Amino acid sequence: MSRARTFADLATASEAGNLGQTNLIINGDMSVAQRGTSSTSDGFYTVDRWSIYASQTEITQTQQSLTSGSPYELGFNNFARMAVTSASNNAGAYAQFQQPVEAQFIANSGWNFKSSSSFVTLSFWARSSLAGTYFAFFQSQDGTGYIRAKDFALSADTWTKVSLTFEGNSNLTINDDNGVGLYITIVPHYGTTYTGSGGNASTTTWYTLSNNKYLPTDFAQNWGNTSSATFDITGCQLELGQVATPYKHENFADNLKRCRRYYQQYDATNAYTRFALGVAYDGSSIAAPLNLPIKMRAAPTFASSGNFDTLPDTIDLDTFSVQHATADMVEFRATDSGNGLTTNRPYVIRSDNDTSAKIQFISEL
């Protein structure tokens, strides 16, 4: 590329308000997957910040590696995949990738979301095993909810760079808080319950949801009723302006830190990993405070799985519950149903010969 062309491209990006701006999508390169790399469940179960849902149609969601192709050549090493494991022609079937974006990040992004002459651009790489027309849409949550949908075409088994520009609208309300500002949704399949005539859906304007019609036209390729169909995405970016600039890569540590605002998982690194230090306040319960290394969006809920015991005395711990939590600290209670603890004695809480034990702190939108 010539130097003149480089400067021209930079000028275009600058005029569009994109130069140096932060990607409002978190983990758009699909590199962070704290929970795991494969799941048949719906919701946040593989790539961080991406809630992957299906109904009627059953899918497996996975984080996969890239070793070739256009996105790989641009620095992407991972993608998120939906694969149909049980097809359905039910009118109420659907499958979608979705990221909720925090309201205050939208409100302070520089986008005048109430102005039709102010724009943001969503770009991403997509690949489907079925050629056809697919959709992506924004959905606001504060005040009266509004939707803005756009369609895009894919050839079969071919990575395609999708770029969609969205204007503001005077009806939108996006609060300056830590709730959901916008849902960003990429749709491999909606059944006819959610598409077609009978509502307000359009690809040319913002609209309110009517009669459950999220999208204006049906999915002719019927991805959800095709056994083993796949749909892949990576390189998702949401930025100011009308130009999709090159993806703003960040190092893994910075990406993980942004993800940990919403979810933190700590896994056993050996059979007897030490997770926390607490004090028994009676014969059956240990109170254990933990300072979280990354402040979370809001006070998290706590979850655990696996086998745990104490050091000393190797007393089995049966249940965990939260006693008190803030965005950067959690005090949880570990319980011994056998009432074998010594009051006021300190105990280390550790995995009990279990390399799969883990604790989780959850503050998802």
Side-chain angles (χ1 to χ4, degrees):
M1 180 182 293
S2 70
R3 181 175 297 180
R5 177 55 189 270
T6 299
F7 285 136
D9 288 346
L10 287 172
T12 300
S14 179
E15 289 170 4
N18 288 302
L19 197 59
Q21 295 295 327
T22 300
N23 183 5
L24 294 170
I25 296 288
I26 297 174
N27 199 29
D29 65 359
M30 314 296 167
S31 62
V32 177
Q34 294 184 78
R35 297 168 175 87
T37 59
S38 180
S39 177
T40 56
S41 298
D42 289 334
F44 296 100
Y45 282 97
T46 55
V47 288
D48 278 58
R49 301 300 304 122
W50 289 96
S51 182
I52 299 176
Y53 280 101
S55 178
Q56 307 296 330
T57 296
E58 295 179 11
I59 61 99
T60 296
Q61 56 167 293
T62 54
Q63 180 204 48
Q64 301 217 6
S65 297
L66 268 171
T67 57
S68 63
S70 296
Y72 177 76
E73 293 167 2
L74 292 172
F76 297 102
N77 292 293
N78 299 101
F79 63 92
R81 165 168 285 184
M82 276 189 177
V84 176
T85 54
S86 180
S88 173
N89 200 35
N90 191 296
Y94 67 85
Q96 64 183 33
F97 298 89
Q98 186 175 84
Q99 181 161 147
V101 181
E102 206 167 324
Q104 60 188 340
F105 295 162
I106 300 292
N108 293 286
S109 67
W111 179 35
N112 183 1
F113 55 83
K114 285 188 171 293
S115 171
S116 61
S117 59
S118 184
F119 303 89
V120 287
T121 295
L122 175 68
S123 58
F124 53 93
W125 286 92
R127 178 176 64 181
S128 175
S129 58
L130 297 181
T133 298
Y134 297 88
F135 289 85
F137 66 88
F138 290 180
Q139 185 173 11
S140 66
Q141 291 298 295
D142 295 323
T144 300
Y146 278 82
I147 297 172
R148 183 68 169 94
K150 297 223 170 181
D151 58 14
F152 59 94
L154 298 179
S155 301
D157 299 314
T158 303
W159 280 111
T160 300
K161 178 68 176 291
V162 178
S163 178
L164 306 171
T165 296
F166 296 80
E167 76 286 356
N169 184 278
S170 59
N171 295 308
L172 295 181
T173 300
I174 299 178
N175 297 329
D176 187 9
D177 62 21
N178 66 351
V180 177
L182 287 175
Y183 283 110
I184 311 299
T185 307
I186 299 171
V187 188
H189 178 72
Y190 274 6
T192 54
T193 294
Y194 308 109
T195 63
S197 61
N200 297 326
S202 166
T203 57
T204 61
T205 188
W206 289 85
Y207 53 90
T208 56
L209 181 64
S210 175
N211 294 323
N212 259 348
K213 300 298 184 180
Y214 283 84
L215 299 171
T217 57
D218 299 336
F219 286 70
Q221 63 273 15
N222 206 353
W223 184 92
N225 193 37
T226 305
S227 296
S228 301
T230 59
F231 198 100
D232 307 326
I233 59 170
T234 193
C236 295
Q237 183 160 272
L238 178 62
E239 58 189 320
L240 291 176
Q242 301 181 67
V243 176
T245 63
Y247 187 84
K248 296 166 184 63
H249 290 278
E250 59 187 327
N251 64 53
F252 183 84
D254 289 341
N255 192 8
L256 177 60
K257 184 176 180 179
R258 290 215 291 163
C259 291
R260 282 182 168 173
R261 176 172 171 80
Y262 305 92
Y263 179 83
Q264 298 182 31
Q265 177 172 304
Y266 300 92
D267 300 284
T269 56
N270 55 56
Y272 296 99
T273 297
R274 301 178 183 190
F275 284 93
L277 175 65
V279 175
Y281 60 86
D282 59 28
S284 62
S285 298
I286 299 170
L290 283 175
N291 292 318
L292 301 174
I294 304 296
K295 186 173 183 178
M296 304 193 76
R297 179 188 64 86
T301 58
F302 175 85
S304 66
S305 63
N307 300 311
F308 296 85
D309 69 4
T310 66
L311 186 70
D313 299 339
T314 61
I315 298 169
D316 289 340
L317 297 173
D318 305 305
T319 59
F320 292 86
S321 60
V322 172
Q323 292 298 103
H324 174 70
T326 65
D328 52 12
M329 188 279 289
V330 173
E331 181 181 308
F332 64 92
R333 177 185 295 180
T335 303
D336 161 39
S337 60
N339 204 43
L341 300 169
T342 300
T343 303
N344 295 326
R345 184 174 188 176
Y347 289 94
V348 171
I349 297 170
R350 66 175 187 174
S351 55
D352 180 12
N353 195 27
D354 186 353
T355 57
S356 65
K358 60 187 175 185
I359 59 176
Q360 304 154 290
F361 303 96
I362 306 159
S363 189
E364 296 285 4
L365 286 160

